[in-house]
Amino acid sequence: DWGHCVGSGMQSHEYLAKAGAWSAKRKTLSDRSALYTVHDIEFCMSRKKALNMFDENDIQANLAHFTFTVIMEDLFFHLLNGCTVHILSDEVRKNVELISNYYEEHNITCGYLPPTVLKIFKSKSNTLKTILTGSERVSNTYLENICLTNNYGMSETMGAVLCFVIDKKYENTPIGKPEKGVEVKILDSDLKEVKKGECGEICIIGDFRTTYFKDEKRTKETFIKLDEHKVMVRTGDIGFFDEDNNVIY
């Protein structure tokens, strides 16, 4: 769970996040614990700030649970940038109608909603301007007069690393292009790049320091160190680049 810290002194703190990963290939649910350092958190915050999507005037509705990696963007990023954050109760977060009412009553300007909620979400608010979604495939989803972004990431990358502004309904909405300081490669089983339009494993390159907690074998399989400041994360997800260089998965 979030909040487990070890070490003394700010720069030696480490944060342990637990997440479950569904493997379609193996049809199993595996448990993994990602260990973050302060450096990882700073890298995540710099990526989000570069998007210039929010400022101190925004009022964020925090829907994500504290055990979900999205909390980095849904809560901490907004607080660090001077936004006001409302933490929704379990009663509200489980009811789409109550979410919509809360947005309207409290002048919410931005928030995260998972794709399944977006399918039935009806905004009543005059202040809502930005919604982030992700964590699963986004299909046939679009909102008028609201900036809706599809975001892709994982615990291993400390949240979203690709972003796509949804401009219309797509059968399979792109997950977009990489954020500042991040590269994306589509690789075959030999870790060689495939041609544009061909499917392969989505691999994320950035200044990540993440390791699995007490799991050296999986750490070596997932995190490939390229140099002192670059690590490639093998996501295990299959995708390809479209003609606009957006990633589809």
Side-chain angles (χ1 to χ4, degrees):
D1 293 336
W2 284 103
H4 288 242
C5 304
V6 298
S8 59
M10 186 61 181
Q11 294 306 313
S12 64
H13 274 60
E14 295 175 325
Y15 300 81
L16 180 64
K18 289 183 68 65
W22 170 255
S23 171
K25 184 177 180 180
R26 300 185 185 89
K27 301 250 188 295
T28 58
L29 182 67
S30 62
D31 221 25
R32 63 187 190 275
S33 297
L35 194 62
Y36 303 136
T37 66
V38 171
H39 175 87
D40 293 313
I41 297 173
E42 289 174 342
F43 181 41
C44 176
M45 295 302 105
S46 69
R47 299 196 312 262
K48 303 308 159 190
K49 195 165 186 176
L51 294 175
N52 292 319
M53 293 176 63
F54 310 104
D55 59 37
E56 66 275 6
N57 297 313
D58 278 307
I59 304 175
Q60 160 82 2
N62 167 234
L63 181 78
H65 283 281
F66 277 54
T67 54
F68 186 21
T69 306
V70 170
I71 199 69
M72 293 304 303
E73 301 156 53
D74 208 28
L75 176 62
F76 299 144
F77 171 75
H78 290 88
L79 288 176
L80 289 171
N81 281 277
C83 304
T84 300
V85 177
H86 290 225
I87 300 176
L88 304 184
S89 67
D90 284 341
E91 179 186 9
V92 172
R93 74 175 76 228
K94 292 176 181 178
N95 187 306
V96 178
E97 182 69 20
L98 292 181
I99 293 173
S100 182
N101 291 342
Y102 193 98
Y103 278 22
E104 180 184 27
E105 293 169 9
H106 297 276
N107 298 316
I108 300 299
T109 64
C110 53
Y112 165 82
L113 294 176
T116 50
V117 172
L118 273 175
K119 287 283 189 182
I120 53 177
F121 175 77
K122 304 292 182 184
S123 177
K124 305 174 184 177
S125 172
N126 294 319
T127 59
L128 184 61
K129 62 179 185 179
T130 306
I131 290 181
L132 283 65
T133 192
S135 78
E136 59 188 78
R137 179 176 288 187
V138 178
S139 178
N140 295 314
T141 301
Y142 174 70
L143 295 176
E144 293 280 354
N145 304 316
I146 294 175
C147 178
L148 176 62
T149 67
N150 187 20
N151 302 269
Y152 173 89
M154 53 200 301
S155 297
E156 288 81 349
T157 59
M158 187 168 270
V161 287
L162 289 95
C163 180
F164 179 78
V165 178
I166 302 176
D167 56 346
K168 63 179 182 179
K169 289 185 177 182
Y170 294 83
E171 182 61 34
N172 184 8
T173 306
I175 54 177
K177 298 180 175 68
E179 297 176 352
K180 178 183 177 182
V182 176
E183 298 176 62
V184 175
K185 293 186 181 294
I186 308 296
L187 306 181
D188 62 19
S189 57
D190 295 320
L191 298 184
K192 295 181 180 179
E193 289 191 71
V194 302
K195 295 179 181 178
K196 182 183 290 188
E198 292 183 357
C199 288
E201 181 179 3
I202 301 172
C203 295
I204 312 296
I205 299 173
D207 194 1
F208 305 114
R209 304 288 179 89
T210 313
T211 61
Y212 290 125
F213 185 58
K214 295 183 178 179
D215 196 337
E216 186 176 345
K217 181 177 181 294
R218 293 188 64 194
T219 293
K220 289 180 178 179
E221 292 173 348
T222 304
F223 305 100
I224 300 174
K225 190 169 183 177
L226 303 179
D227 60 39
E228 185 179 357
H229 298 290
K230 282 189 178 182
V231 171
M232 183 170 75
V233 181
R234 300 189 62 180
T235 69
D237 291 331
I238 303 301
F240 63 91
F241 285 110
D242 68 9
E243 62 274 12
D244 296 316
N245 288 320
N246 288 306
V247 178
I248 311 289
Y249 96 106

